[in-house]
Amino acid sequence: MMKVARVLKRVPRFTPALAFKVGLVAAILCLILVIPISFLSRNKLDLQEEQVYDHGKQEHQVESPEGNAFDHGSDTDVKDHQQQIALPEPQADQDQVIPAVIDAVPLVRDEEGDALPGHPKQRRNIPAPRKKALPILREDPNGQMKPPQENANKKSVSSRPVPSDENDPVTENMLKVPFFKEGALGNYEVTQEKRHGPGENGVAVRLSGADEAAAIGGNHEYGFNQVASERISLDRSIPDTRPTECKHWDYPTKLPKVAVVIAFHNEMWSTLLRTVHSVINRTPPHLLDEVLMVDDFSDKEPLKKALEEYIERFKGKVRLIRNAEREGLIRTRSNGAKSAKAEVIFFLDAHCEVGVNWLPPLLAPIARDRTVMTVPVIDGIDSDTFEIHAQYQGKLFRGIFEWGLLYKETELPEKEQKRRQRTSEPYKSPTHAGGLFAINRDYFLELGGYDDGLLIWGGEQYELSFKIWQCGGSIEWVPCSHIGHIYRGFMPYGFGKLSGKGPIVSLNLKRVAEVWMDEYKEYYYIREPLVRALDEGDISKQKAIRERLNCKSFKWYMENVAYDVVEEFPLLPANLFWGELRSVKDSWQCWDSRHDVPAKVDVSPWYIDK
């Protein structure tokens, strides 16, 4: 017992001083062990999050091989987004607002931790990356750029925004690609006013008796039924000929402004102004910079001072410029492109009516890629009754050509169908009909615009199509943009001194072939052997443009873009003989096409064609 007592006396008593010393030692040991472990864990977590961000970005945005990005949504997306977006209005200070930087936010979650619509749900338990998004700056009344209030950063950002504040750069920039939502109307959809009267909703106007006889004169003068046209309101309603899917697309809320260029010569008053009215009535005001009417030296009295006075009612939205002499359609359009100031130009014929929600679907691809030219689907307007009808009956076509460079259309190949998820999405086309299309103005001028050696009309669609594709751009047809166009059976006017320069269309096509078609031009000459002898003029400027832009070969174009041309029109064998075909028995008779298409030939007396 004495030994035990001596041992206990040697053990120090538990005092506050002793407790402090023990605690201090324990804290130091914990710091030494915990800090390295925490550092290693954080690095590992950051590495995982960066991998998730990259993968998630690929999952969220559906993109075709050509970069045609569309957000297709899902059933879950639709339930969360049944509210229709209000149509954006013009913004007075739009150019002064610095766009929000929203691309730095890789994953957005709601308060319960679920990924918001458009984001993969399987990633809901993975923390968001720790990297902070760049601040959004706003301009205060004093002109100073300041960050938003703290509570603004707590708002969730969806892949399909509802723009509540038209001056908010976040809502203005969030929707950057078209977004499809099943069962809900798109953000630019509007309800067309129900109207009653002749021709309303595109219904035919049929004449009888004295009216029918009076219409003959107008038909000869303009190529249209003037009596029927003048009975139809300039603001008439039209049928919605778009595919049903088109009503359910949201388009970017920030799109470039457009100048609609309308070239005309001695056009009928009512058809010309109905074209203008349709653009004003069915175009979002904040997207329309101007309607630019370019007069190619018209001499009809109504198109002079009366037209100038009439367009004053549009308060600057419609502008009129005039050529000092007759220049033809191609050069008149070029004059319009040079005079326009908007970011995008849309060339429109002078006897058209634009369709429901026609413009946003054309602008969205250009907003994504400035080297894309977009083409609407063209509906027919009967030149006699002015009835509007869909031309394609629900099928999709694209523009090609045969070896005489006559324009043709063929059904969309399966290869192009597979590039898209929905039939209402834009698709690639080798060429187009030539009359109606949208293009970035600066890009158009960088390409040299139209070849200034092309006369009047004819061949310009091939020149521009080949140039765009071979020099790095692309052409997309847009099923959700429809425009009605009147097709005339004949040309009701001449071309003055321009028409004395030879076979205009053949000269134009030879220029195109010599500049852009390389060895494939021989197939054009096989098809049109007489063209080889024509003088196409100086093409050195166009060849210099091709060299400057480092454009691809026509062989590349045929194999990668216009591959279905040879499927429809195989490469031609060389001509064994060509020339006149005469009768051996009756030497005074010949086979003659009478300057008509080659398919129409008959026997006629021999004569010398001077």
Side-chain angles (χ1 to χ4, degrees):
M1 294 294 293
M2 293 296 294
K3 293 180 179 180
V4 174
R6 292 192 188 102
V7 172
L8 292 175
K9 287 180 180 181
R10 294 175 183 174
V11 177
R13 295 182 179 180
F14 191 83
T15 63
L18 179 60
F20 176 79
K21 293 178 181 179
V22 173
L24 181 60
V25 172
I28 293 173
L29 291 174
C30 289
L31 289 174
I32 293 173
L33 294 174
V34 171
I35 289 176
I37 295 174
S38 175
F39 180 79
L40 293 174
S41 300
R42 177 169 295 185
N43 286 347
K44 183 178 180 180
L45 181 58
D46 287 345
L47 178 60
Q48 291 175 345
E49 290 167 352
E50 290 177 0
Q51 292 172 347
V52 169
Y53 171 76
D54 293 339
H55 178 64
K57 186 174 183 181
Q58 293 173 2
E59 288 180 345
H60 166 61
Q61 186 163 294
V62 180
E63 189 163 333
S64 75
E66 290 79 12
N68 189 5
F70 277 74
D71 191 345
H72 296 274
S74 64
D75 293 338
T76 305
D77 298 340
V78 175
K79 293 177 182 178
D80 292 321
H81 293 286
Q82 292 295 327
Q83 183 177 356
Q84 181 180 352
I85 295 181
L87 187 64
E89 294 294 333
Q91 301 176 7
D93 301 324
Q94 184 172 351
D95 295 336
Q96 301 176 0
V97 179
I98 295 181
V101 183
I102 64 171
D103 291 338
V105 183
L107 179 62
V108 181
R109 304 177 181 282
D110 61 18
E111 296 178 356
E112 298 178 0
D114 286 338
L116 287 176
H119 299 271
K121 274 207 165 187
Q122 59 266 33
R123 295 161 44 207
R124 59 176 293 180
N125 294 324
I126 300 174
R130 300 171 191 267
K131 297 178 182 178
K132 294 183 178 180
L134 297 177
I136 301 169
L137 300 181
R138 303 177 188 273
E139 186 176 29
D140 65 10
N142 298 323
Q144 300 295 321
M145 304 309 297
K146 296 182 178 181
Q149 299 178 356
E150 292 183 2
N151 59 358
N153 293 331
K154 297 180 181 179
K155 295 181 181 180
S156 297
V157 181
S158 168
S159 62
R160 191 196 68 77
V162 178
S164 57
D165 181 0
E166 294 167 0
N167 296 318
D168 187 347
V170 178
T171 59
E172 196 173 282
N173 286 273
M174 276 190 293
L175 187 59
K176 293 189 175 181
V177 296
F179 179 94
F180 186 83
K181 49 181 186 177
E182 192 78 45
L185 290 178
N187 56 340
Y188 283 91
E189 292 296 317
V190 295
T191 302
Q192 189 173 204
E193 176 188 1
K194 291 185 178 180
R195 298 170 56 91
H196 302 280
E200 293 296 340
N201 201 38
V203 174
V205 174
R206 304 191 185 280
L207 305 178
S208 60
D211 291 334
E212 189 174 11
I216 297 176
N219 289 346
H220 285 303
E221 185 175 3
Y222 296 107
F224 307 140
N225 187 334
Q226 184 179 7
V227 175
S229 179
E230 291 178 353
R231 291 189 176 183
I232 300 172
S233 169
L234 299 180
D235 299 307
R236 78 156 165 178
S237 57
I238 59 170
D240 189 351
T241 56
R242 300 172 298 165
T244 303
E245 275 189 1
C246 295
K247 299 178 181 180
H248 306 298
W249 282 103
D250 275 356
Y251 294 99
T253 50
K254 185 176 182 180
L255 292 170
K257 284 191 173 184
V258 66
V260 178
V261 178
I262 303 175
F264 68 95
H265 172 76
N266 283 346
E267 188 73 26
M268 188 164 70
W269 174 272
S270 57
T271 52
L272 175 62
L273 289 178
R274 192 175 297 113
T275 302
V276 174
H277 277 250
S278 75
V279 173
I280 297 294
N281 294 340
R282 287 189 278 275
T283 304
H286 71 289
L287 296 181
L288 181 62
D289 186 67
E290 65 176 344
V291 176
L292 179 56
M293 305 177 71
V294 190
D295 175 22
D296 187 19
F297 208 59
S298 297
D299 57 15
K300 291 189 178 298
E301 196 60 34
L303 300 180
K304 296 181 180 179
K305 187 172 180 59
L307 180 60
E308 295 172 2
E309 293 176 348
Y310 185 89
I311 64 175
E312 290 178 359
R313 68 186 61 196
F314 298 112
K315 303 184 186 305
K317 275 289 185 180
V318 180
R319 182 160 62 100
L320 173 65
I321 62 175
R322 301 184 188 272
N323 292 342
E325 60 180 355
R326 187 85 158 95
E327 297 195 44
L329 175 66
I330 298 172
R331 293 179 181 175
T332 301
R333 286 186 163 190
S334 294
N335 293 341
K338 294 172 185 176
S339 178
K341 305 300 180 185
E343 183 176 348
V344 173
I345 48 178
F346 181 81
F347 291 109
L348 183 64
D349 281 351
H351 31 270
C352 293
E353 295 177 60
V354 300
V356 177
N357 197 24
W358 71 283
L359 185 58
L362 292 173
L363 295 180
I366 299 174
R368 181 193 79 234
D369 181 353
R370 68 188 290 270
T371 67
V372 174
M373 185 183 91
T374 54
V375 181
V377 174
I378 302 177
D379 295 326
I381 302 179
D382 189 276
S383 62
D384 186 46
T385 67
F386 289 85
E387 179 182 15
I388 300 176
H389 54 86
Q391 298 247 95
Y392 299 104
Q393 304 302 321
K395 295 181 180 180
L396 297 177
F397 287 78
R398 70 181 200 155
I400 60 172
F401 52 88
E402 54 94 56
W403 292 111
L405 294 183
L406 296 177
Y407 178 73
K408 303 290 183 181
E409 291 182 355
T410 186
E411 285 196 49
L412 192 64
E414 184 178 357
K415 179 180 178 180
E416 299 302 321
Q417 293 277 16
K418 290 181 178 179
R419 295 182 191 272
R420 308 170 308 142
Q421 290 196 4
R422 297 187 180 276
T423 58
S424 56
E425 291 182 42
Y427 55 86
K428 307 296 184 183
S429 177
T431 185
H432 64 115
L436 287 62
F437 64 90
I439 191 170
N440 178 281
R441 176 180 176 272
D442 289 343
Y443 178 61
F444 178 73
L445 297 177
E446 287 167 15
L447 291 171
Y450 285 122
D451 173 6
D452 55 12
L454 299 178
L455 301 173
I456 306 177
W457 69 273
E460 75 278 8
Q461 76 271 40
Y462 299 128
E463 192 257 347
L464 187 57
S465 297
F466 298 163
K467 182 160 47 178
I468 287 174
W469 275 113
Q470 290 175 244
C471 302
S474 62
I475 299 173
E476 294 185 8
W477 281 26
V478 184
C480 287
S481 177
H482 279 237
I483 296 179
H485 177 273
I486 306 175
Y487 291 94
R488 284 189 275 225
F490 66 97
M491 189 68 68
Y493 45 74
F495 297 98
K497 64 180 182 179
L498 295 176
S499 59
K501 297 185 178 182
I504 298 298
V505 176
S506 295
L507 285 169
N508 288 350
L509 292 176
K510 184 175 184 183
R511 289 182 66 89
V512 175
E514 289 292 333
V515 174
W516 297 102
M517 293 181 68
D518 302 332
E519 68 272 19
Y520 283 79
K521 67 185 179 184
E522 291 301 320
Y523 299 111
Y524 174 57
Y525 294 141
I526 291 172
R527 177 69 171 74
E528 299 290 340
L530 291 175
V531 175
R532 194 188 295 270
L534 298 178
D535 180 10
E536 71 275 13
D538 184 7
I539 56 176
S540 58
K541 179 180 176 181
Q542 301 307 311
K543 288 189 173 182
I545 290 174
R546 179 173 177 176
E547 183 177 357
R548 172 175 60 84
L549 297 176
N550 194 27
C551 303
K552 295 183 176 69
S553 67
F554 198 76
K555 179 179 176 63
W556 172 89
Y557 169 78
M558 290 298 299
E559 293 178 349
N560 293 276
V561 180
Y563 52 84
D564 45 348
V565 168
V566 294
E567 295 174 4
E568 298 286 336
F569 305 100
L571 299 178
L572 301 175
N575 292 328
L576 298 178
F577 306 99
W578 67 274
E580 295 180 341
L581 182 63
R582 298 187 183 183
S583 170
V584 176
K585 181 179 179 181
D586 298 314
S587 60
W588 54 275
Q589 289 188 330
C590 300
W591 284 102
D592 192 1
S593 64
R594 299 179 184 272
H595 300 287
D596 208 334
V597 294
K600 296 181 179 179
V601 294
D602 59 10
V603 176
S604 65
W606 178 84
Y607 64 94
I608 298 177
D609 188 5
K610 296 183 180 179

